[in-house]
Amino acid sequence: MESHQKHQWTKDDVRTAMRRNEFVPFFQPKIDLATGISSCVEMLARWDHPELGILPPSQFIKLIESAGLIDEFTDNLFRQSLVSAANNAMTGKDIGIAINFSSLTLQDPQAPRRICSLLNEYGFPFDQITIEVTESATPENFSSVIKSLTTLRSQGFKISIDDFGTGYSSLKLLSKMPFTELKIDRMFVAGISENKKLTGILESIVHLAEKLNLNTVAEGIETKAQLDFIRKLGCNVGQGFYLGSPARGFEVMNVTEDARLAMA
Ligand code: C2E
Ligand code: MG
Ligand code: MG
Ligand code: MG
């Protein structure tokens, strides 16, 4: 499925796909590593292509951004996610939703107002939404992104720094941004027991996050050994194929049987 790298999509392709509502939300659980329970799902966008099937964001997010469609795109997937949340009677409104936001959206001073009014339309509480933003916010829009995130935080939103450790100016960001959560990039998790340096950095990031009173999320947990290590380290939350893969419905929230047994 992830092998259609040859495709050179154009802006027109993504415009058409948008008009045809081919972009759909998948959800992956964020699992509380103390309880094994999912407190939140991360929405991960997919292109449900009529001929090629499900395509990952690496094939379309950049194009959507350069076509000037990212705000409309994010709004649309956000709405679909809120509808899924509302339709899921079992889940009700107790489950949080994490949304990945482009810095292009967050640099707009109107962004917080637009996000709040969208949630108000659905009566969804702000404090159950996590805004995930990667470190790659460019220097030019840096301060306007901080302003939006600070406003959103003051409205109760949780703010997560995604792919931590892979961008620039991580430590500067940590001191300036109103983060509530730090997501450790899966590169460090993949290095567990294979790469001493990466493992050392991973341990230090968890300690750093503790000092700063941030929730820690480890991305990309694929094995029992990684899960055991991450839990021993004191990471609060885990995500990865071993715990639960992204899937179409909200019912994916339950942790896999293997991981449940590993945490029992
Ligand atoms: P991310 O936010 O860091 O999301 C985690 C990525 O890791 C997802 O890739 C997920 O499917 C994948 N993943 C989860 N568990 C594992 C694992 O155990 N092993 C491995 N190897 N991978 C795992 P995906 O869905 O392809 O998304 C890639 C990136 O695209 C996301 O990274 C996020 O930055 C971006 N993205 C996704 N949806 C949206 C969206 O709606 N808006 C924006 N602006 N960006 C999005
Ligand atoms: Mg993310
Ligand atoms: Mg990430
Ligand atoms: Mg990542």
PDB file of all heavy atoms in Angstrom, residues 51-73:
ATOM      1  N   GLU A  51      -8.815   4.044  -7.171  1.00  0.00           N
ATOM      2  CA  GLU A  51      -8.136   2.923  -7.840  1.00  0.00           C
ATOM      3  C   GLU A  51      -6.994   2.332  -7.014  1.00  0.00           C
ATOM      4  O   GLU A  51      -6.764   1.130  -7.056  1.00  0.00           O
ATOM      5  CB  GLU A  51      -7.550   3.362  -9.190  1.00  0.00           C
ATOM      6  CG  GLU A  51      -8.582   3.424 -10.296  1.00  0.00           C
ATOM      7  CD  GLU A  51      -8.684   4.824 -10.871  1.00  0.00           C
ATOM      8  OE1 GLU A  51      -7.641   5.425 -11.145  1.00  0.00           O
ATOM      9  OE2 GLU A  51      -9.828   5.307 -11.026  1.00  0.00           O
ATOM     10  N   LEU A  52      -6.306   3.177  -6.277  1.00  0.00           N
ATOM     11  CA  LEU A  52      -5.075   2.714  -5.630  1.00  0.00           C
ATOM     12  C   LEU A  52      -5.259   2.314  -4.180  1.00  0.00           C
ATOM     13  O   LEU A  52      -4.352   1.780  -3.552  1.00  0.00           O
ATOM     14  CB  LEU A  52      -4.002   3.797  -5.737  1.00  0.00           C
ATOM     15  CG  LEU A  52      -3.638   4.174  -7.179  1.00  0.00           C
ATOM     16  CD1 LEU A  52      -2.723   5.382  -7.199  1.00  0.00           C
ATOM     17  CD2 LEU A  52      -2.988   2.988  -7.894  1.00  0.00           C
ATOM     18  N   GLY A  53      -6.423   2.621  -3.639  1.00  0.00           N
ATOM     19  CA  GLY A  53      -6.655   2.274  -2.233  1.00  0.00           C
ATOM     20  C   GLY A  53      -6.133   3.357  -1.301  1.00  0.00           C
ATOM     21  O   GLY A  53      -6.052   4.531  -1.668  1.00  0.00           O
ATOM     22  N   ILE A  54      -5.727   2.922  -0.115  1.00  0.00           N
ATOM     23  CA  ILE A  54      -5.360   3.865   0.944  1.00  0.00           C
ATOM     24  C   ILE A  54      -3.924   4.368   0.776  1.00  0.00           C
ATOM     25  O   ILE A  54      -2.986   3.574   0.763  1.00  0.00           O
ATOM     26  CB  ILE A  54      -5.512   3.172   2.322  1.00  0.00           C
ATOM     27  CG1 ILE A  54      -6.962   2.705   2.542  1.00  0.00           C
ATOM     28  CG2 ILE A  54      -5.055   4.086   3.449  1.00  0.00           C
ATOM     29  CD1 ILE A  54      -7.978   3.815   2.649  1.00  0.00           C
ATOM     30  N   LEU A  55      -3.777   5.668   0.652  1.00  0.00           N
ATOM     31  CA  LEU A  55      -2.447   6.274   0.489  1.00  0.00           C
ATOM     32  C   LEU A  55      -2.086   7.103   1.736  1.00  0.00           C
ATOM     33  O   LEU A  55      -2.937   7.794   2.287  1.00  0.00           O
ATOM     34  CB  LEU A  55      -2.421   7.181  -0.749  1.00  0.00           C
ATOM     35  CG  LEU A  55      -2.846   6.542  -2.080  1.00  0.00           C
ATOM     36  CD1 LEU A  55      -2.847   7.583  -3.204  1.00  0.00           C
ATOM     37  CD2 LEU A  55      -1.916   5.396  -2.438  1.00  0.00           C
ATOM     38  N   PRO A  56      -0.795   7.042   2.142  1.00  0.00           N
ATOM     39  CA  PRO A  56      -0.351   7.745   3.362  1.00  0.00           C
ATOM     40  C   PRO A  56      -0.070   9.232   3.101  1.00  0.00           C
ATOM     41  O   PRO A  56       0.114   9.639   1.952  1.00  0.00           O
ATOM     42  CB  PRO A  56       0.948   7.016   3.710  1.00  0.00           C
ATOM     43  CG  PRO A  56       1.494   6.582   2.387  1.00  0.00           C
ATOM     44  CD  PRO A  56       0.298   6.270   1.508  1.00  0.00           C
ATOM     45  N   PRO A  57      -0.008  10.021   4.186  1.00  0.00           N
ATOM     46  CA  PRO A  57       0.173  11.471   4.070  1.00  0.00           C
ATOM     47  C   PRO A  57       1.457  11.891   3.354  1.00  0.00           C
ATOM     48  O   PRO A  57       1.504  12.981   2.798  1.00  0.00           O
ATOM     49  CB  PRO A  57       0.218  11.968   5.522  1.00  0.00           C
ATOM     50  CG  PRO A  57      -0.199  10.839   6.363  1.00  0.00           C
ATOM     51  CD  PRO A  57      -0.178   9.592   5.565  1.00  0.00           C
ATOM     52  N   SER A  58       2.472  11.028   3.365  1.00  0.00           N
ATOM     53  CA  SER A  58       3.718  11.391   2.669  1.00  0.00           C
ATOM     54  C   SER A  58       3.446  11.632   1.183  1.00  0.00           C
ATOM     55  O   SER A  58       4.227  12.283   0.510  1.00  0.00           O
ATOM     56  CB  SER A  58       4.759  10.282   2.839  1.00  0.00           C
ATOM     57  OG  SER A  58       4.229   9.041   2.424  1.00  0.00           O
ATOM     58  N   GLN A  59       2.337  11.126   0.664  1.00  0.00           N
ATOM     59  CA  GLN A  59       2.031  11.312  -0.756  1.00  0.00           C
ATOM     60  C   GLN A  59       1.191  12.545  -1.051  1.00  0.00           C
ATOM     61  O   GLN A  59       0.986  12.876  -2.217  1.00  0.00           O
ATOM     62  CB  GLN A  59       1.304  10.072  -1.291  1.00  0.00           C
ATOM     63  CG  GLN A  59       2.150   8.834  -1.214  1.00  0.00           C
ATOM     64  CD  GLN A  59       1.806   7.827  -2.297  1.00  0.00           C
ATOM     65  OE1 GLN A  59       1.146   8.141  -3.274  1.00  0.00           O
ATOM     66  NE2 GLN A  59       2.262   6.609  -2.117  1.00  0.00           N
ATOM     67  N   PHE A  60       0.688  13.228   0.000  1.00  0.00           N
ATOM     68  CA  PHE A  60      -0.200  14.345  -0.348  1.00  0.00           C
ATOM     69  C   PHE A  60      -0.128  15.590   0.550  1.00  0.00           C
ATOM     70  O   PHE A  60      -0.514  16.666   0.108  1.00  0.00           O
ATOM     71  CB  PHE A  60      -1.650  13.858  -0.424  1.00  0.00           C
ATOM     72  CG  PHE A  60      -2.176  13.200   0.819  1.00  0.00           C
ATOM     73  CD1 PHE A  60      -2.665  13.952   1.881  1.00  0.00           C
ATOM     74  CD2 PHE A  60      -2.179  11.810   0.942  1.00  0.00           C
ATOM     75  CE1 PHE A  60      -3.142  13.337   3.030  1.00  0.00           C
ATOM     76  CE2 PHE A  60      -2.655  11.190   2.092  1.00  0.00           C
ATOM     77  CZ  PHE A  60      -3.142  11.960   3.139  1.00  0.00           C
ATOM     78  N   ILE A  61       0.389  15.478   1.778  1.00  0.00           N
ATOM     79  CA  ILE A  61       0.313  16.645   2.679  1.00  0.00           C
ATOM     80  C   ILE A  61       1.082  17.859   2.116  1.00  0.00           C
ATOM     81  O   ILE A  61       0.567  18.972   2.073  1.00  0.00           O
ATOM     82  CB  ILE A  61       0.826  16.311   4.102  1.00  0.00           C
ATOM     83  CG1 ILE A  61      -0.142  15.371   4.826  1.00  0.00           C
ATOM     84  CG2 ILE A  61       1.023  17.580   4.935  1.00  0.00           C
ATOM     85  CD1 ILE A  61      -1.407  16.009   5.359  1.00  0.00           C
ATOM     86  N   LYS A  62       2.294  17.626   1.637  1.00  0.00           N
ATOM     87  CA  LYS A  62       3.102  18.727   1.081  1.00  0.00           C
ATOM     88  C   LYS A  62       2.378  19.408  -0.077  1.00  0.00           C
ATOM     89  O   LYS A  62       2.391  20.627  -0.187  1.00  0.00           O
ATOM     90  CB  LYS A  62       4.453  18.179   0.590  1.00  0.00           C
ATOM     91  CG  LYS A  62       5.383  17.776   1.723  1.00  0.00           C
ATOM     92  CD  LYS A  62       6.463  18.808   1.989  1.00  0.00           C
ATOM     93  CE  LYS A  62       6.952  18.770   3.420  1.00  0.00           C
ATOM     94  NZ  LYS A  62       7.527  17.427   3.771  1.00  0.00           N
ATOM     95  N   LEU A  63       1.757  18.582  -0.938  1.00  0.00           N
ATOM     96  CA  LEU A  63       1.029  19.125  -2.091  1.00  0.00           C
ATOM     97  C   LEU A  63      -0.172  19.949  -1.640  1.00  0.00           C
ATOM     98  O   LEU A  63      -0.452  21.010  -2.192  1.00  0.00           O
ATOM     99  CB  LEU A  63       0.514  17.977  -2.959  1.00  0.00           C
ATOM    100  CG  LEU A  63       1.251  17.662  -4.235  1.00  0.00           C
ATOM    101  CD1 LEU A  63       0.553  16.523  -4.954  1.00  0.00           C
ATOM    102  CD2 LEU A  63       1.331  18.893  -5.137  1.00  0.00           C
ATOM    103  N   ILE A  64      -0.861  19.426  -0.643  1.00  0.00           N
ATOM    104  CA  ILE A  64      -2.025  20.144  -0.118  1.00  0.00           C
ATOM    105  C   ILE A  64      -1.580  21.492   0.430  1.00  0.00           C
ATOM    106  O   ILE A  64      -2.225  22.518   0.209  1.00  0.00           O
ATOM    107  CB  ILE A  64      -2.686  19.312   1.008  1.00  0.00           C
ATOM    108  CG1 ILE A  64      -3.158  17.985   0.434  1.00  0.00           C
ATOM    109  CG2 ILE A  64      -3.771  20.102   1.720  1.00  0.00           C
ATOM    110  CD1 ILE A  64      -4.567  17.637   0.621  1.00  0.00           C
ATOM    111  N   GLU A  65      -0.425  21.487   1.119  1.00  0.00           N
ATOM    112  CA  GLU A  65       0.106  22.747   1.645  1.00  0.00           C
ATOM    113  C   GLU A  65       0.449  23.703   0.511  1.00  0.00           C
ATOM    114  O   GLU A  65       0.068  24.870   0.546  1.00  0.00           O
ATOM    115  CB  GLU A  65       1.366  22.485   2.502  1.00  0.00           C
ATOM    116  CG  GLU A  65       1.043  21.853   3.848  1.00  0.00           C
ATOM    117  CD  GLU A  65       2.277  21.648   4.735  1.00  0.00           C
ATOM    118  OE1 GLU A  65       3.415  21.729   4.223  1.00  0.00           O
ATOM    119  OE2 GLU A  65       2.093  21.406   5.926  1.00  0.00           O
ATOM    120  N   SER A  66       1.138  23.189  -0.508  1.00  0.00           N
ATOM    121  CA  SER A  66       1.579  24.110  -1.563  1.00  0.00           C
ATOM    122  C   SER A  66       0.414  24.546  -2.455  1.00  0.00           C
ATOM    123  O   SER A  66       0.500  25.569  -3.124  1.00  0.00           O
ATOM    124  CB  SER A  66       2.726  23.511  -2.381  1.00  0.00           C
ATOM    125  OG  SER A  66       2.313  22.328  -3.000  1.00  0.00           O
ATOM    126  N   ALA A  67      -0.664  23.796  -2.454  1.00  0.00           N
ATOM    127  CA  ALA A  67      -1.852  24.209  -3.210  1.00  0.00           C
ATOM    128  C   ALA A  67      -2.708  25.200  -2.414  1.00  0.00           C
ATOM    129  O   ALA A  67      -3.758  25.638  -2.879  1.00  0.00           O
ATOM    130  CB  ALA A  67      -2.680  22.980  -3.598  1.00  0.00           C
ATOM    131  N   GLY A  68      -2.242  25.524  -1.206  1.00  0.00           N
ATOM    132  CA  GLY A  68      -2.997  26.476  -0.388  1.00  0.00           C
ATOM    133  C   GLY A  68      -4.283  25.893   0.179  1.00  0.00           C
ATOM    134  O   GLY A  68      -5.228  26.627   0.494  1.00  0.00           O
ATOM    135  N   LEU A  69      -4.314  24.575   0.310  1.00  0.00           N
ATOM    136  CA  LEU A  69      -5.552  23.914   0.730  1.00  0.00           C
ATOM    137  C   LEU A  69      -5.510  23.380   2.158  1.00  0.00           C
ATOM    138  O   LEU A  69      -6.454  22.735   2.604  1.00  0.00           O
ATOM    139  CB  LEU A  69      -5.838  22.732  -0.215  1.00  0.00           C
ATOM    140  CG  LEU A  69      -6.167  23.051  -1.666  1.00  0.00           C
ATOM    141  CD1 LEU A  69      -6.167  21.770  -2.490  1.00  0.00           C
ATOM    142  CD2 LEU A  69      -7.511  23.758  -1.768  1.00  0.00           C
ATOM    143  N   ILE A  70      -4.410  23.637   2.876  1.00  0.00           N
ATOM    144  CA  ILE A  70      -4.225  22.937   4.144  1.00  0.00           C
ATOM    145  C   ILE A  70      -5.277  23.302   5.204  1.00  0.00           C
ATOM    146  O   ILE A  70      -5.721  22.433   5.956  1.00  0.00           O
ATOM    147  CB  ILE A  70      -2.760  23.084   4.685  1.00  0.00           C
ATOM    148  CG1 ILE A  70      -2.498  22.144   5.870  1.00  0.00           C
ATOM    149  CG2 ILE A  70      -2.437  24.515   5.072  1.00  0.00           C
ATOM    150  CD1 ILE A  70      -2.421  20.681   5.542  1.00  0.00           C
ATOM    151  N   ASP A  71      -5.702  24.574   5.228  1.00  0.00           N
ATOM    152  CA  ASP A  71      -6.712  24.952   6.227  1.00  0.00           C
ATOM    153  C   ASP A  71      -8.031  24.217   5.977  1.00  0.00           C
ATOM    154  O   ASP A  71      -8.622  23.656   6.890  1.00  0.00           O
ATOM    155  CB  ASP A  71      -6.964  26.462   6.216  1.00  0.00           C
ATOM    156  CG  ASP A  71      -5.800  27.232   6.829  1.00  0.00           C
ATOM    157  OD1 ASP A  71      -4.853  26.583   7.318  1.00  0.00           O
ATOM    158  OD2 ASP A  71      -5.856  28.477   6.812  1.00  0.00           O
ATOM    159  N   GLU A  72      -8.427  24.236   4.706  1.00  0.00           N
ATOM    160  CA  GLU A  72      -9.672  23.572   4.322  1.00  0.00           C
ATOM    161  C   GLU A  72      -9.584  22.070   4.603  1.00  0.00           C
ATOM    162  O   GLU A  72     -10.517  21.455   5.130  1.00  0.00           O
ATOM    163  CB  GLU A  72      -9.877  23.811   2.822  1.00  0.00           C
ATOM    164  CG  GLU A  72     -11.279  23.607   2.318  1.00  0.00           C
ATOM    165  CD  GLU A  72     -11.317  23.672   0.791  1.00  0.00           C
ATOM    166  OE1 GLU A  72     -10.580  24.522   0.204  1.00  0.00           O
ATOM    167  OE2 GLU A  72     -12.037  22.868   0.196  1.00  0.00           O
ATOM    168  N   PHE A  73      -8.423  21.491   4.279  1.00  0.00           N
ATOM    169  CA  PHE A  73      -8.175  20.074   4.486  1.00  0.00           C
ATOM    170  C   PHE A  73      -8.269  19.706   5.977  1.00  0.00           C
ATOM    171  O   PHE A  73      -8.960  18.756   6.360  1.00  0.00           O
ATOM    172  CB  PHE A  73      -6.772  19.744   3.937  1.00  0.00           C
ATOM    173  CG  PHE A  73      -6.278  18.354   4.242  1.00  0.00           C
ATOM    174  CD1 PHE A  73      -6.562  17.297   3.387  1.00  0.00           C
ATOM    175  CD2 PHE A  73      -5.511  18.107   5.374  1.00  0.00           C
ATOM    176  CE1 PHE A  73      -6.098  16.015   3.666  1.00  0.00           C
ATOM    177  CE2 PHE A  73      -5.055  16.825   5.657  1.00  0.00           C
ATOM    178  CZ  PHE A  73      -5.348  15.783   4.805  1.00  0.00           C
TER     179      PHE A  73
END
